[in-house]
Coordinates of all heavy atoms in Angstrom, one line a residue:
R11 N 0.7 -1.2 0.0 CA 0.0 -0.1 0.0 C 0.8 1.3 0.0 O 0.5 2.2 -0.7 CB -1.0 -0.1 1.2 CG -2.1 -0.9 1.1 CD -3.0 -1.0 2.3 NE -4.2 -1.7 2.0 CZ -5.0 -2.2 3.0 NH1 -4.6 -2.0 4.3 NH2 -6.0 -3.0 2.7
R12 N 2.0 1.2 0.9 CA 2.9 2.4 0.8 C 3.5 2.6 -0.5 O 3.6 3.7 -1.1 CB 3.9 2.3 1.9 CG 3.3 2.5 3.4 CD 4.6 2.6 4.4 NE 5.5 1.4 4.1 CZ 5.4 0.4 4.9 NH1 4.3 0.2 5.8 NH2 6.2 -0.7 4.7
H13 N 3.9 1.5 -1.1 CA 4.5 1.6 -2.4 C 3.6 2.1 -3.4 O 3.9 2.9 -4.3 CB 5.1 0.2 -2.8 CG 5.9 0.1 -4.0 ND1 5.9 -0.8 -4.9 CD2 6.8 1.1 -4.4 CE1 6.7 -0.5 -5.9 NE2 7.3 0.7 -5.6
L14 N 2.3 1.6 -3.4 CA 1.3 2.0 -4.3 C 1.1 3.6 -4.2 O 0.9 4.3 -5.2 CB 0.0 1.2 -4.1 CG -1.2 1.6 -5.0 CD1 -0.8 1.4 -6.5 CD2 -2.3 0.7 -4.6
R15 N 0.9 4.1 -2.9 CA 0.7 5.6 -2.7 C 2.0 6.3 -3.3 O 1.5 7.4 -4.0 CB 0.5 5.9 -1.2 CG -0.9 5.4 -0.7 CD -1.1 5.9 0.7 NE -0.1 5.5 1.7 CZ -0.3 4.4 2.3 NH1 -1.6 3.8 2.3 NH2 0.5 4.0 3.2
R16 N 3.1 5.9 -3.1 CA 4.3 6.5 -3.6 C 4.2 6.7 -5.2 O 4.4 7.7 -5.8 CB 5.5 5.8 -3.2 CG 6.9 6.6 -3.3 CD 8.0 6.0 -2.7 NE 8.1 4.6 -2.6 CZ 7.9 3.7 -1.7 NH1 7.7 4.2 -0.4 NH2 8.2 2.3 -1.9
L17 N 3.8 5.5 -5.9 CA 3.7 5.4 -7.2 C 2.6 6.4 -7.8 O 2.7 7.0 -8.8 CB 3.6 4.1 -7.7 CG 4.8 3.1 -7.5 CD1 4.3 1.6 -7.8 CD2 6.0 3.5 -8.3
Q18 N 1.5 6.4 -7.0 CA 0.3 7.1 -7.4 C 0.7 8.7 -7.3 O 0.3 9.4 -8.2 CB -0.9 6.9 -6.5 CG -1.5 5.6 -6.9 CD -2.7 5.2 -5.9 OE1 -2.6 5.5 -4.8 NE2 -3.5 4.4 -6.4
R19 N 1.5 9.1 -6.4 CA 2.0 10.4 -6.2 C 3.0 10.8 -7.5 O 2.8 11.8 -8.0 CB 2.6 10.7 -4.9 CG 1.7 11.0 -3.8 CD 2.5 11.4 -2.6 NE 3.6 10.5 -2.1 CZ 3.3 9.7 -1.1 NH1 2.2 9.4 -0.7 NH2 4.4 8.9 -0.7
A20 N 3.8 9.8 -7.8 CA 4.7 10.0 -8.9 C 3.9 10.3 -10.1 O 4.3 11.0 -11.0 CB 5.7 9.0 -9.0
L21 N 2.9 9.3 -10.4 CA 2.1 9.4 -11.6 C 1.4 10.7 -11.7 O 1.4 11.3 -12.8 CB 1.1 8.1 -11.6 CG 0.1 8.1 -12.7 CD1 0.9 8.1 -14.1 CD2 -0.8 7.0 -12.6
A22 N 0.8 11.2 -10.5 CA 0.1 12.4 -10.6 C 1.1 13.6 -10.9 O 0.7 14.6 -11.6 CB -0.5 12.7 -9.2
E23 N 2.2 13.6 -10.4 CA 3.2 14.6 -10.7 C 3.7 14.5 -12.1 O 3.6 15.6 -12.8 CB 4.5 14.4 -9.8 CG 5.6 15.5 -10.1 CD 6.7 15.2 -9.2 OE1 6.7 14.7 -8.0 OE2 7.8 15.5 -9.5
E24 N 3.7 13.4 -12.8 CA 4.2 13.3 -14.2 C 3.0 13.8 -15.1 O 3.1 14.5 -16.1 CB 4.6 11.9 -14.5 CG 5.9 11.5 -13.9 CD 6.9 12.5 -14.2 OE1 7.2 12.8 -15.4 OE2 7.7 12.7 -13.3
R25 N 1.7 13.4 -14.6 CA 0.5 13.9 -15.4 C 0.5 15.4 -15.4 O 0.1 16.0 -16.3 CB -0.7 13.2 -14.8 CG -0.9 11.8 -15.3 CD -2.3 11.3 -14.8 NE -2.4 10.0 -15.3 CZ -3.1 9.0 -14.8 NH1 -3.8 9.3 -13.6 NH2 -3.4 7.8 -15.4
F26 N 0.8 15.9 -14.1 CA 0.7 17.5 -14.1 C 1.8 18.1 -15.1 O 1.5 19.0 -15.7 CB 1.0 17.9 -12.5 CG 1.2 19.3 -12.4 CD1 0.1 20.3 -12.5 CD2 2.5 19.9 -12.5 CE1 0.4 21.6 -12.3 CE2 2.7 21.3 -12.3 CZ 1.5 22.1 -12.3
K27 N 3.1 17.5 -14.9 CA 4.0 18.0 -16.0 C 3.6 17.9 -17.2 O 3.9 19.0 -18.1 CB 5.3 17.2 -15.7 CG 6.0 17.5 -14.3 CD 7.2 16.7 -14.3 CE 7.9 16.7 -13.0 NZ 9.0 15.8 -12.8
V28 N 2.9 16.8 -17.7 CA 2.6 16.6 -19.1 C 1.5 17.7 -19.6 O 1.7 18.4 -20.6 CB 2.0 15.1 -19.3 CG1 1.3 15.2 -20.6 CG2 3.1 14.2 -19.3
G29 N 0.5 17.9 -18.6 CA -0.4 18.9 -19.0 C 0.1 20.3 -19.0 O -0.3 21.0 -19.9
Y30 N 1.0 20.6 -18.1 CA 1.6 21.8 -18.1 C 2.5 22.1 -19.3 O 2.3 23.3 -19.8 CB 2.6 22.0 -16.8 CG 3.3 23.4 -16.7 CD1 2.6 24.5 -16.3 CD2 4.5 23.4 -17.3 CE1 3.3 25.8 -16.2 CE2 5.1 24.6 -17.2 CZ 4.6 25.8 -16.6 OH 5.3 27.0 -16.7
L31 N 3.3 21.2 -19.6 CA 4.1 21.4 -20.9 C 3.3 21.4 -22.1 O 3.6 22.3 -23.0 CB 5.1 20.2 -20.9 CG 6.2 20.3 -19.8 CD1 7.1 19.0 -19.8 CD2 7.0 21.6 -20.0
E32 N 2.3 20.6 -22.2 CA 1.4 20.6 -23.5 C 0.7 22.0 -23.6 O 0.6 22.6 -24.6 CB 0.4 19.6 -23.4 CG 1.0 18.1 -23.7 CD -0.1 17.1 -23.5 OE1 -1.3 17.4 -22.9 OE2 0.3 16.0 -24.1
A33 N 0.2 22.6 -22.4 CA -0.3 23.8 -22.4 C 0.5 24.9 -22.9 O 0.2 25.9 -23.6 CB -1.1 24.1 -21.1
A34 N 1.7 24.8 -22.3 CA 2.8 25.9 -22.6 C 3.1 25.9 -24.0 O 3.3 26.9 -24.7 CB 4.0 25.6 -21.8
L35 N 3.3 24.6 -24.5 CA 3.6 24.6 -25.9 C 2.5 25.0 -26.8 O 2.8 25.5 -28.0 CB 4.0 23.1 -26.3 CG 5.3 22.6 -25.8 CD1 5.5 21.2 -26.0 CD2 6.5 23.4 -26.6
A36 N 1.3 24.8 -26.4 CA 0.2 25.2 -27.1 C 0.1 26.8 -27.3 O -0.3 27.4 -28.2 CB -1.2 24.7 -26.7
R37 N 0.7 27.5 -26.3 CA 0.6 28.9 -26.2 C 1.8 29.5 -26.8 O 1.8 30.6 -27.1 CB 0.5 29.3 -24.8 CG -0.8 29.2 -24.0 CD -0.8 29.9 -22.7 NE 0.3 29.5 -21.8 CZ 0.3 28.6 -21.0 NH1 -0.9 27.8 -20.8 NH2 1.3 28.3 -20.2

């Protein structure tokens, strides 16, 4: 469960980065 929570946080961070960079590139 601890490992899963850590991986979910990392996934959420990467998804945020992808969204941010895609929006920045679109602008």
Side-chain angles (χ1 to χ4, degrees):
R11 285 179 175 159
R12 283 192 308 271
H13 190 220
L14 180 58
R15 282 191 297 270
R16 191 168 46 247
L17 291 171
Q18 286 171 332
R19 281 193 300 270
L21 177 59
E23 183 178 324
E24 293 303 313
R25 282 186 173 152
F26 171 80
K27 289 178 189 178
V28 166
Y30 176 83
L31 292 170
E32 286 175 342
L35 288 171
R37 289 189 306 269

